[in-house]
Amino acid sequence: MLENIKSKKITGKKIRTNNNKINEIISLWKEVPDLGLSGDIYAVYFNYESDFRGDFDFLIGSESSDLNDFVNIKDGKYMVWTADSPDAVGAVWHEIWNTELDRVYESDFEIYSQDGSIKIYIGII
């Protein structure tokens, strides 16, 4: 599915990592209960060194957080995938990496909605 997204500011906690350092990403997820986030939870990938194989910034946050780190999700066109559960997110990412897309590598994100749904947004040209 294709969606046009308006820019939004997400505040939370950020790390610099890559997809070969999954333990760093998992460690940040383990901190979520202590971050005091409310509403939908966003996991944002941005400031890419190159593509999904290089380093990137990874932030977990929300639109209403008062934490110091932030990112502005870029407005534009996004392809949207859904995951059935948090455990399925990794498999969806593998599907995305193996799909031919004209990605912009500016901001990609996951939304963990309060209703339990999970969507992954990939910025495209």
Side-chain angles (χ1 to χ4, degrees):
M1 172 175 33
L2 182 66
E3 283 189 36
N4 286 310
I5 299 295
K6 298 278 188 206
S7 177
K8 61 180 77 181
K9 182 178 181 179
I10 305 299
T11 55
K13 183 168 182 184
K14 173 181 80 168
I15 61 171
R16 183 83 177 157
T17 191
N18 64 54
N19 287 316
N20 293 318
K21 298 177 182 175
I22 192 70
N23 288 337
E24 292 178 356
I25 294 170
I26 291 169
S27 290
L28 183 55
W29 274 112
K30 288 180 178 177
E31 292 183 43
V32 167
D34 299 325
L35 296 179
L37 301 174
S38 61
D40 295 341
I41 304 295
Y42 287 75
V44 187
Y45 305 80
F46 62 104
N47 197 18
Y48 286 94
E49 175 183 70
S50 56
D51 59 16
F52 68 90
R53 294 175 206 92
D55 288 350
F56 52 82
D57 288 339
F58 178 65
L59 178 140
I60 298 176
S62 68
E63 291 184 88
S64 60
S65 168
D66 60 359
L67 296 170
N68 293 328
D69 294 331
F70 72 92
V71 60
N72 289 312
I73 291 175
K74 307 282 185 185
D75 46 316
K77 291 190 296 186
Y78 288 80
M79 288 297 299
V80 183
W81 277 261
T82 59
D84 295 333
S85 70
D87 292 335
V89 170
V92 175
W93 273 108
H94 282 279
E95 181 182 335
I96 292 166
W97 296 331
N98 291 305
T99 300
E100 290 292 323
L101 294 172
D102 287 327
R103 293 181 62 182
V104 294
Y105 289 102
E106 289 181 345
S107 57
D108 302 311
F109 59 99
E110 303 159 5
I111 300 177
Y112 296 79
S113 297
Q114 291 177 303
D115 67 7
S117 65
I118 302 168
K119 292 184 178 178
I120 301 172
Y121 292 77
I122 304 298
I124 61 171
I125 295 173

